[in-house]
Amino acid sequence: MSFYELPADKNNHLIVKDFQTPSKIAHFRNAIEILYLKKGELDAVINGTRHRVKAGQAVFSGSFDVHYYELINEEPVESTVLVISQDYLK
């Protein structure tokens, strides 16, 4: 099950946030999301497809892509997440 993350779809919404543990809960929104992994390794699951992401790599979730992140062996990671509303992109 996933949930619609409505606050990220506000007009001209832009978030840049550092995370030690990105969201483990499946979610989606109209906005896009880019996760850049600074340290560690994780799996990004986007629309049911698993992608291994390592330090120095980024992963993109488009509009209404259901996505979440899983840590590898519960090892901590450092990441930056950028969420950009469709209105902001215009």
Side-chain angles (χ1 to χ4, degrees), residues 1-3 5 8 22-35 43-49 51 59-70 81-83:
M1 179 176 261
S2 60
F3 73 95
E5 194 176 70
S23 181
K24 296 178 183 180
I25 300 170
H27 59 283
F28 60 93
R29 61 177 85 81
N30 190 30
I32 64 166
E33 178 173 313
I34 301 167
L35 177 134
D43 281 345
V45 181
I46 303 170
N47 294 327
T49 302
H51 306 273
V59 64
F60 174 86
S61 298
S63 279
F64 296 105
D65 284 347
V66 176
H67 60 283
Y68 63 95
Y69 306 101
E70 292 182 347
V81 176
L82 174 64
V83 178

Side-chain angles (χ1 to χ4, degrees), residues 35-41 53-59 78-79:
L35 177 134
Y36 175 74
L37 198 59
K38 297 186 279 188
K39 178 183 175 186
E41 188 173 10
V53 184
K54 298 179 181 184
Q57 296 179 329
V59 64
E78 292 180 18
S79 64

